[in-house]
Amino acid sequence: QVQLVESGGGLVQAGGSLRLSCAASGLTFRSYVLGWFRQAPGKEREFVGSIRWSTGDKYYADSLKGRVTVSRDNVKNTVYLQMNSLKPEDTAVYYCAVAPQGTTSYVYWGQGTQVTVSS
C-alpha cells in the first residue's frame, strides 16, 4: 500500500521560509519520480518541483526557480521542499505525488499540507 504523508505546513510571514516533508512508503523508490504540487483557492493545481529518486535529478517550475529546493533522504524515504522568500501568493495546499520514472503520470498523492503566507 502506497502512502505519502506531507507535513511542515503552517502560517508564515512574507519573506520567511518553510520546509515541507513528504514521507513515502510502499514503493520501490528508485523507479519513481517524486513531485511537489500546490493548489490555491480557486486556482488549478500547479507543478512546483520534482526529483528523480534514482539519480537525484531535480526539476522546477520556472516561476519558482531560485526560491524552492527539492531534496531527498534515502534512509528516511522522505522528500523535502524548502521554500524561501515566501510571498502571500504562495499560499496554497501543497501536495506530494509519485510518478513512474519516465512518465509524468502522477498516480499516488498525499493528503496535502496547508501553507499560508501573511503579508
Side-chain angles (χ1 to χ4, degrees):
Q1 180 181 359
V2 177
Q3 279 195 317
L4 301 172
V5 181
E6 302 98 333
S7 60
L11 176 64
V12 63
Q13 287 190 330
S17 299
L18 275 179
R19 188 178 79 158
L20 307 183
S21 301
C22 174
S25 61
L27 294 171
T28 304
F29 298 107
R30 64 180 179 271
S31 300
Y32 288 88
V33 173
L34 281 90
W36 285 97
F37 294 78
R38 69 183 185 182
Q39 188 165 21
K43 296 187 177 181
E44 293 189 354
R45 184 172 59 202
E46 65 172 330
F47 172 76
V48 175
S50 64
I51 184 167
R52 183 176 296 179
W53 196 272
S54 59
T55 63
D57 291 340
K58 302 172 187 179
Y59 309 89
Y60 298 103
D62 288 341
S63 61
L64 296 170
K65 281 181 182 176
R67 292 203 297 123
V68 300
T69 303
V70 179
S71 61
R72 75 185 191 286
D73 183 321
N74 290 341
V75 175
K76 295 182 178 180
N77 289 337
T78 298
V79 176
Y80 303 98
L81 177 66
Q82 177 69 43
M83 302 187 292
N84 300 322
S85 302
L86 284 162
K87 305 174 183 180
E89 51 264 44
D90 294 319
T91 295
V93 178
Y94 285 71
Y95 300 90
C96 66
V98 170
Q101 189 168 288
T103 79
T104 56
S105 299
Y106 286 87
V107 294
Y108 301 110
W109 292 81
Q111 83 288 351
T113 186
Q114 175 71 46
V115 171
T116 303
V117 184
S118 63
S119 57

